[in-house]
Amino acid sequence: MSRALVIVDVQNDFCEGGSLAVAGGAEVARRISEHVLTHLGEYAAIVATADWHDDPGAHFSDSPDFVDSWPTHCRVGSDGALFHPAAEPAFEHVEAIFRKGHHTAAYSGFEGHTVQADAKVGLADWLRDRAIEEVHVVGIATDYCVRATALDSAEEGFETTVLLDLTAGVAPASTATALADLAAAEVATRGEVAGE
């Protein structure tokens, strides 16, 4: 089976010191690099997703509810939108980056696109073009963008597994809900969420 690794939103703003930091984010970035270097031969493709906000409207708020609205994060051109330095060894093997959320909220990597031959290409089509059948999902945050990406991966027909020890969750309650959602969608999980 042809397998891809999808690295979700391992960006400075989602790691310690960022505007929307998730505890354990930097450690997850380090672990992902270690995983890629150790398991490189197990993947036919490695890709990444990134929050990439220009003017996402109500997604940004000075009084966020942390459900539908959030503090300003991953703004195009900011240091917070850059990938965390601990992920750099992994990114030497990333073939494409799928950016999402330019002008609206976007959680799933399948909402994003990369540019290929001057055309926008979505993640599902990119994976199908390479005959990928199985997807491993890692990154930040377990209960938001990892969850959404994994659910969409399964919906698109890919055999999907979330490697939980390579993810970090925002909060125990929302992470537990996310894990239940994944199980209900028959998304496999392995390991335990960092910090849980």
Side-chain angles (χ1 to χ4, degrees), residues 12-152:
N12 287 329
D13 270 343
F14 298 136
C15 295
E16 290 81 355
S19 66
L20 199 50
V22 177
E27 173 62 12
V28 161
R30 186 196 67 76
R31 289 186 194 177
I32 288 171
S33 287
E34 185 177 81
H35 177 81
V36 167
L37 297 178
T38 305
H39 299 277
L40 190 56
E42 298 176 18
Y43 297 105
I46 299 175
V47 300
T49 73
D51 255 18
W52 198 246
H53 297 308
D54 185 10
D55 182 15
H59 186 60
F60 284 173
S61 174
D62 291 333
S63 303
D65 62 16
F66 296 94
V67 176
D68 298 309
S69 61
W70 307 89
T72 299
H73 61 276
C74 298
R75 187 179 285 284
V76 173
S78 70
D79 286 344
L82 299 176
F83 294 108
H84 192 276
E88 287 177 7
F91 275 79
E92 291 179 12
H93 302 281
V94 167
E95 294 181 47
I97 297 169
F98 295 83
R99 302 189 189 280
K100 56 189 172 66
H102 290 73
H103 299 290
T104 186
Y107 296 91
S108 169
F110 286 85
E111 297 176 75
H113 67 268
T114 192
V115 177
Q116 183 175 291
D118 295 325
K120 293 180 179 180
V121 179
L123 179 53
D125 288 339
W126 193 95
L127 293 171
R128 286 194 189 98
D129 286 346
R130 286 150 185 81
I132 298 298
E133 298 175 3
E134 181 182 0
V135 171
H136 285 178
V137 181
V138 302
I140 307 170
T142 319
D143 32 356
Y144 291 93
C145 295
V146 169
R147 170 195 173 276
T149 300
L151 290 175
D152 279 357

